[in-house]
Amino acid sequence: MLTVLLLLWPVAAALLLHFFKGSAARVAAFGAALIEFVLAIFAAVTFNGGNSGQFSLNLPWIASAGINFHVGMDGLSLLLVLLTTFLVPLILLASYRRSFENASAFYALVLFMETGLVGVFTAQDAFLFYFFWEVALIPIYFLAGVWGGVNRAKVTFKFFLYTIVGSLFMLAGFVYLYFQTGPAANGLAAHNSDLASFYNLSLSAQEQSWLFWLIFAAFAVKMPIFPFHTWQPDTYTESPAPATMLLSGIMLKMGIYGCMRWLLPVVPLGVSQWQNLVLILSIIGIIYGAIIAIRQQDVKRLIAYSSLSHVGLMIAGVFSLTQIGLQGASIQMLAHGVNVVGMFFIADCIERRTNTRLIPDLGGLTRNTPILTVCFLVLLLGTVALPLTNGFVGEFLLLGGVYQYNAWMGAVAGITIILAAVYLLRMFQRVMLGPDSSFSETITDLTGAELMVLVPLIVLVFWIGLFPNTFLHLSEGSVMNILSEVVKR
C-alpha cells in the first residue's frame, strides 16, 4: 500500500491546489512534496535488501484483458523514487523568487508529473508502465509550452513529437509481447502484460531484433542518445527553470531505467545483436556533446550539452552488460540528478541577478559572491567527477564496465572526463573569475532560501562520493536479478 500512497498523494495534493493562489500555492505544493519525500524515506528505512518485490499491490485493472494495476519496488526502483521525491521539493523551493501566472496550475502540474515519474519507476505491468510514461509527459509539455521562453511553441512541439512517436513504437512492441503470453492462471484472460510474464517469453532472435528497436525508440528519445537528441538543448533552454530541472534531473532517468528494467531482460538476444551499435552511438554522443559544450556561449545550453555527454556514458555502461556497468549507471543516475539540478539552479540564480546567461557578458562575479562561488565550484567538481565527489564513483564504475566490454571503447569514453574539465572549468573561470563585468560590483550573494536548495545537494555530492555503498547496496540485488534474466535467456 505504501507504493499506492506514493502515487496517490501528489495527485490529491495537486487537486487541492485549486483552492490556493499565488505564493500560497507554492507553499502548499512544497509541503505536499515534503510529505512525499518522508514517505519515500520510510520506504527506504523499512526496505529489505534481500526481497526484490516489496510494497507491491496487484489488482485487476482491465480484468478481461489480463491487465493489472501492479506496482512494487525493488532496490533500483527505490533508488529512483528517492531521487524523484528528494529533488521535487528542492525544485519547488528553487522557484520561490519566480512569479508564475496561474501559479496553482503550474505547481499542480509539477505534482502530477511527480506521480507519473514514481509510477514509471514502480510499474510492474507493461501497459501500466506505458500509462505512467505518458502521464509524466503531459505535465512537462504544458510546463514548457505555457511558461517557457519566446520560442516555446516550436521547441515544445518538437519535444512532444519526438516523445510521442517514440512512445507509440514502444506501445506497439508491448502489444506484440502481450499477444505472445499464454493463458492467465485465473482463466479470465488469454494473455497478460505482467513484467514477469514478459521475462518468461521464448522469442526467436529475429523477433527480439526488431522488438529491440520498437521498445528502445522510446527510451532513446527520452534519455536522449545521439542522434535522437536534437530536441534536448532547445527544450532545456526555453523551458522555465523548474521544468528544466525536472527534465534533466529526473525525466531522462526514465529512459535509462526503462532500458535496465524492460529492454535488457525482455529481449536479451536483440540487445546482444545491437549492443555494439548502441555503444558506438553512446560514445559518439559523449564526444559530440562535450565538443559542442566547449563552443557554447550560453550557460544553460552548455549545461544541456554537458548532460547529453554524461548520459552517453551511462547508456554505454548499461549496454556493456556488466555488473559494474549497471551498478555505475544506477548510482550515476542519482549523482547526475543531484549535480545537474544544482548546476541549472546556479545558472538560474545568476540569470535572475544579471538578466543574462551569456558567458561573454559575465565575469568577475566572485568579487561579491563568495558563497555562490563555493557552491558553484562544489557542484561543478562533482560533475567533473573529482575523486571524493558523487560523480567520481559512477563514472569510475561506468568506465570500468565499458572497458570490460571493449578496451578501446573504454579508452575513448574516458575522454569525457578530460573534456568535461575543459568546458566546465573554462566556464567557471570566465563567469566567476574572469575580468570584471558590469555586474561585478552590483551582484548579490546567495540568500538563505537559495542555500536551502543548494546545501542538501552539496551534502549529497559528498555523501555519495564518500559513502557510495549506502546507495550501491540498494541497487545491487536488482542489478544481479537483471543480469541473471539476461544470462538465462
Side-chain angles (χ1 to χ4, degrees):
M1 287 301 294
L2 183 57
T3 305
V4 176
L5 189 58
L6 282 164
L7 290 169
L8 293 181
W9 170 246
V11 174
L15 295 174
L16 289 173
L17 283 183
H18 174 72
F19 301 102
F20 296 85
K21 303 297 180 184
S23 61
R26 181 175 59 246
V27 172
F30 176 70
L34 276 183
I35 293 173
E36 180 83 347
F37 181 51
V38 171
L39 292 172
I41 291 293
F42 179 76
V45 170
T46 57
F47 181 77
N48 176 7
N51 187 344
S52 61
Q54 298 179 52
F55 316 115
S56 63
L57 180 71
N58 190 359
L59 296 174
W61 186 21
I62 308 175
S64 60
I67 299 173
N68 290 347
F69 188 90
H70 186 187
V71 293
M73 283 190 278
D74 63 1
L76 180 61
S77 300
L78 179 59
L79 196 67
L80 290 167
V81 168
L82 285 170
L83 174 66
T84 301
T85 57
F86 171 73
L87 289 180
V88 168
L90 297 180
I91 291 170
L92 290 170
L93 186 60
S95 66
Y96 83 106
R97 283 190 178 272
R98 292 285 188 185
S99 131
F100 298 106
E101 186 178 352
N102 199 354
S104 59
F106 181 91
Y107 295 114
L109 287 170
V110 173
L111 294 178
F112 276 126
M113 185 175 178
E114 184 173 23
T115 290
L117 293 165
V118 172
V120 165
F121 299 138
T122 59
Q124 301 295 308
D125 180 278
F127 293 117
L128 185 64
F129 176 82
Y130 176 79
F131 169 77
F132 282 121
W133 185 273
E134 297 304 319
V135 166
L137 168 66
I138 295 169
I140 199 66
Y141 171 77
F142 285 105
L143 287 170
V146 176
W147 288 276
V150 291
N151 296 319
R152 61 185 182 273
K154 180 176 71 173
V155 168
T156 307
F157 177 75
K158 182 178 181 180
F159 162 65
F160 182 80
L161 188 63
Y162 266 68
T163 306
I164 201 68
V165 170
S167 299
L168 290 174
F169 279 119
M170 178 175 68
L171 178 61
F174 282 170
V175 168
Y176 181 86
L177 290 167
Y178 167 80
F179 282 111
Q180 305 312 303
T181 59
N186 58 17
L188 295 177
H191 309 284
N192 71 89
S193 53
D194 196 78
L195 176 62
S197 297
F198 282 12
Y199 281 9
N200 293 325
L201 289 174
S202 296
L203 302 169
S204 68
Q206 184 178 6
E207 286 176 303
Q208 293 192 36
S209 179
W210 59 264
L211 277 169
F212 170 86
W213 285 107
L214 284 179
I215 300 172
F216 183 64
F219 304 148
V221 170
K222 194 76 76 178
M223 290 183 281
I225 185 174
F226 179 92
F228 305 99
H229 69 284
T230 57
W231 63 267
Q232 186 215 41
D234 291 336
T235 306
Y236 281 18
T237 303
E238 292 296 323
S239 298
T244 302
M245 295 177 200
L246 286 167
L247 279 165
S248 60
I250 311 172
M251 195 171 186
L252 69 81
K253 312 305 185 298
M254 291 165 53
I256 300 170
Y257 171 83
C259 287
M260 296 174 70
R261 177 74 71 207
W262 291 92
L263 191 68
L264 269 58
V266 174
V267 289
L269 297 179
V271 171
S272 63
Q273 180 175 348
W274 298 106
Q275 175 184 19
N276 201 54
L277 175 60
V278 173
L279 277 158
I280 291 171
L281 292 177
S282 302
I283 292 170
I284 291 173
I286 291 170
I287 305 301
Y288 170 83
I291 291 174
I292 300 299
I294 291 173
R295 299 177 58 84
Q296 294 306 305
Q297 300 297 317
D298 184 307
V299 174
K300 210 172 178 183
R301 289 185 72 86
L302 186 149
I303 299 170
Y305 279 107
S306 169
S307 178
L308 173 66
S309 181
H310 284 88
V311 167
L313 182 57
M314 285 186 265
I315 303 166
V318 169
F319 279 86
S320 71
L321 298 183
T322 61
Q323 182 182 353
I324 63 170
L326 289 172
Q327 278 283 71
S330 301
I331 196 167
Q332 190 65 5
M333 283 193 282
L334 184 62
H336 177 269
V338 169
N339 291 338
V340 78
V341 166
M343 291 290 284
F344 274 121
F345 181 61
I346 291 288
D348 186 57
C349 290
I350 293 173
E351 183 182 5
R352 279 191 282 106
R353 286 163 167 79
T354 62
N355 292 318
T356 183
R357 297 192 308 261
L358 296 179
I359 295 173
D361 294 342
L362 301 169
L365 301 187
T366 193
R367 179 188 297 275
N368 284 335
T369 58
I371 300 175
L372 172 63
T373 304
V374 171
C375 293
F376 193 177
L377 184 61
V378 170
L379 290 163
L380 184 145
L381 293 177
T383 307
V384 172
L386 185 76
L388 304 183
T389 66
N390 57 356
F392 175 77
V393 179
E395 293 208 2
F396 180 81
L397 294 174
L398 289 167
L399 289 172
V402 178
Y403 185 85
Q404 282 187 18
Y405 174 78
N406 184 292
W408 286 106
M409 285 187 176
V412 176
I415 297 175
T416 182
I417 297 177
I418 300 171
L419 294 177
V422 170
Y423 60 75
L424 287 173
L425 291 173
R426 179 169 169 262
M427 174 189 68
F428 182 83
Q429 190 276 330
R430 294 174 66 188
V431 170
M432 306 304 296
L433 307 174
D436 286 354
S437 65
S438 58
F439 309 107
S440 300
E441 297 293 340
T442 57
I443 191 169
T444 57
D445 211 345
L446 295 176
T447 64
E450 290 167 334
L451 284 173
M452 289 174 64
V453 176
L454 291 170
V455 168
L457 296 174
I458 290 171
V459 168
L460 269 186
V461 167
F462 292 112
W463 186 358
I464 299 171
L466 295 172
F467 307 104
N469 283 337
T470 309
F471 306 97
L472 289 172
H473 176 70
L474 279 179
S475 59
E476 182 179 10
S478 306
V479 165
M480 295 304 296
N481 289 338
I482 290 168
L483 287 174
S484 67
E485 289 290 340
V486 173
V487 170
K488 82 177 185 182
R489 300 178 60 202

